[in-house]
Amino acid sequence: GAVVSQHPSRVICKSGTSVKIECRSLDFQATTMFWYRQFPKKSLMLMATSNEGSKATYEQGVEKDKFLINHASLTLSTLTVTSAHPEDSSFYICSATGTLVYNEQFFGPGTRLTVL
Amino acid sequence: GDSVTQMEGPVTLSEEAFLTINCTYTATGYPSLFWYVQYPGEGLQLLLKATKADDKGSNKGFEATYRKETTSFHLEKGSVQVSDSAVYFCAGYAGGTSYGKLTFGQGTILTVHP
């Protein structure tokens, strides 16, 4: 149990285009999902927290108009990188927590975004 | 605010060597503590956890004990394998108004040679 999937696993796009990344909890209801960004050989940086049915809470310094987060159901959250630029290239990881195990987050496998 | 400090890497060991990766935390209360492992190109997997003082988490030969007196949660393994090569993250969850938000350490790269 407690599987979180991400799609796509890898995406390459041109500068100026938008990219959508999906995060799904496959076998539990995720009341809260988190989006992280990880730079090479660095730790995870929390970008935002999203609760199902409400607006995401962004961490300081994260542009909410650039990184659009939608958590429309208890099993799906999406991160859209709008007007992507090369500096947005990174590894994006989502995680989910819910009623399955208290205090525990379950992580997706990550999405490698490369903006040319 | 809460913070987690990990031993800086990278750590390079020979197979069957003993492993210790230090982790200390600073928090207003007593958070739940976790060790996550990240294999190359993958997301994070929970390795072990402890939710209160003196709890010992263990999995796949790894152990860590939640020491309240030293605010530490050091990761240990008696005999590492090449397959243990990965990045290890210590993390804490404080709960309360920051529900669900994990605070991560900076990560420690472990390389095990045959």
Side-chain angles (χ1 to χ4, degrees), chain A residues 9-85:
Chain A
S9 58
R10 189 179 295 267
V11 57
I12 300 172
C13 69
K14 292 182 178 180
S15 187
T17 61
S18 295
V19 175
K20 180 184 285 188
I21 302 170
E22 293 186 348
C23 176
R24 293 181 185 273
S25 57
L26 300 184
D27 49 7
F28 68 102
Q29 293 186 328
T31 50
T32 305
M33 287 185 167
F34 303 87
W35 286 95
Y36 296 86
R37 183 172 178 177
Q38 185 179 31
F39 294 97
K41 299 184 179 180
K42 297 287 187 183
S43 188
L44 279 72
M45 179 191 80
L46 179 65
M47 299 174 66
T49 303
S50 73
N51 294 296
E52 184 266 337
S54 57
K55 288 184 178 180
T57 301
Y58 290 81
E59 296 298 302
Q60 192 172 9
V62 178
E63 299 176 60
K64 62 180 181 182
D65 294 330
K66 180 165 188 61
F67 298 99
L68 301 178
I69 292 171
N70 183 278
H71 191 166
S73 77
L74 284 171
T75 59
L76 174 64
S77 176
T78 60
L79 167 67
T80 301
V81 183
T82 63
S83 186
H85 288 92

Side-chain angles (χ1 to χ4, degrees), chain B residues 68-113:
Chain B
K68 189 171 70 172
E69 62 276 12
T70 55
T71 65
S72 65
F73 193 53
H74 303 325
L75 182 68
E76 297 182 338
K77 186 174 185 181
S79 176
V80 293
Q81 305 300 311
V82 173
S83 57
D84 294 327
S85 298
V87 183
Y88 292 82
F89 292 95
C90 184
Y93 163 68
T97 56
S98 59
Y99 176 74
K101 288 177 68 171
L102 286 170
T103 300
F104 282 91
Q106 62 266 46
T108 302
I109 299 173
L110 170 67
T111 303
V112 180
H113 292 299

Side-chain angles (χ1 to χ4, degrees), chain B residues 16-46:
Chain B
E16 299 183 3
F18 183 83
L19 168 72
T20 300
I21 301 177
N22 290 343
C23 171
T24 57
Y25 65 88
T26 303
T28 52
Y30 296 103
S32 297
L33 297 173
F34 306 83
W35 276 100
Y36 287 89
V37 58
Q38 184 180 31
Y39 297 101
E42 298 183 11
L44 272 68
Q45 301 175 26
L46 179 66

